[in-house]
Amino acid sequence: MDQLIDLLRDGLPDEAVLTDPDVTAAYANDMASFCEAGAPAVVVMPRTVEQVQHVMRTATALGVPVVPQGARTGLSGAANASEGCIVLSLVRMDRIIEINPVDRIAVVEPGVVNAVLSRAVAEQGLYYPPDPSSWEQCTIGGNIGTASGGLCCVKYGVTAEYVLGLDVVLADGRLLTTGRRTAKGVAGYDLTRLFVGSEGSLGIVVRAVLALKPSPPEQLALAAEFPSVAAACDAVCEIMARGHAPSLLELMDRTTLHAVNKMAQMGLPESTAALLLAAFDTPDPASDLAAVGELCAAAGATEVVPAEDAAESELLLQARRLALTALEAVKSATMIDDVCVPRSRLAAMLDGTAAIGEKYGLTVGVCAHAGDGNTHPVVCFDAADPDESRRARESFDEIMELGLELGGTITGEHGVGVLKKEWLARELGPVGLELQQSIKSVFDPLGLLNPGKLF
């Protein structure tokens, strides 16, 4: 332990090396439930690429595991510490190095907060679309590590679509540059995409080249109330089948609506079984909303409320923004699932999830990025009740199993981490798992990078 600290301090300023157990304990977990975490030996907070390289050379020399972290807003345990590890917190590497309006790129360090980048590029008439719900806290490095999504994914895609190139410190301290700054490029294997979503298991991202888009027009939204989840999902299928390109298409079930009503007194009818929210940022959003409103009515919507301006749109979207907070108030703890299914199976996923909640006697609310089939079932339970905690974990597993049965995936944007390791093996199959483990061993032959995650 003393040798590790001494060697780290040889290449890091004293304030970058944290050893007080009361301080380091605060870096043990992200926000996931049911995920084990160990006690870090030390937390390091570098500011430069060279300092990250020094950390990795030290870790390799001593055989000490390294767990990279950003803001720890993740929901899969991917940033949880391993016993006796070096926690490598990248939050102090928070510079926006370049914003280039001609090439439409930004070059940033991993600790840049998503919202800070979004506001900075907006000042130059540009747009960085990925917008996780934690965008005011989460970092770009964490977004890259988990391949984060957000509300806008239905039109603009997830983080992976915007990462053009990376600088990555490998396990032995070497610096690898991948990708490009150009609009196109197909030279060699796409190592950039390999690192996106790798949860810090292949290398430490220290710089990213991100694609930007021109700022879109201000969006307008509508809310449609449905008497059943099936009717709302039929509307989603029709909207997508007719070729519409909403900037947002979100769905909340009855349980979620009741929780939001209870917390915020929004006055949503108790008879509403599902609320569908759609928005457009096109040149003529009112026309697009009118067309989608007709499709919702034809699918059985009992009421369709289009906004007339941006302020009304924000009021309509408020219920969705409050969904998780409202469900967290139902019980002392929540497990937030992240199962993505084909849009055509969305109704089966939601109905099946409701049945699982009834089976286990638990409150399970679902909010979904309906436009891309990404559901977020939220299992509410009393963490102090062992039996209820057990039922919560079992219901969580059944929800993931349902998603796979419907042709989906165990995670659309939150990552695997500790929480879904067993399920990743089931989704990949033995051949896929073997190949992915082989790739891991090429980049990290000693198994020091974020051990115990993914596999």
Side-chain angles (χ1 to χ4, degrees), residues 365-376:
V366 181
C367 48
H369 308 312
D372 51 27
N374 196 172
T375 68
H376 293 306

Side-chain angles (χ1 to χ4, degrees), residues 24 37 54 202 215 218 254 278 305 343 379 398 414 421:
T24 60
H54 172 71
L202 301 179
S215 291
E218 206 161 37
R254 187 194 304 272
V305 181
R343 297 184 194 100
V379 181
E398 282 204 24
H414 291 172
K421 284 200 307 182

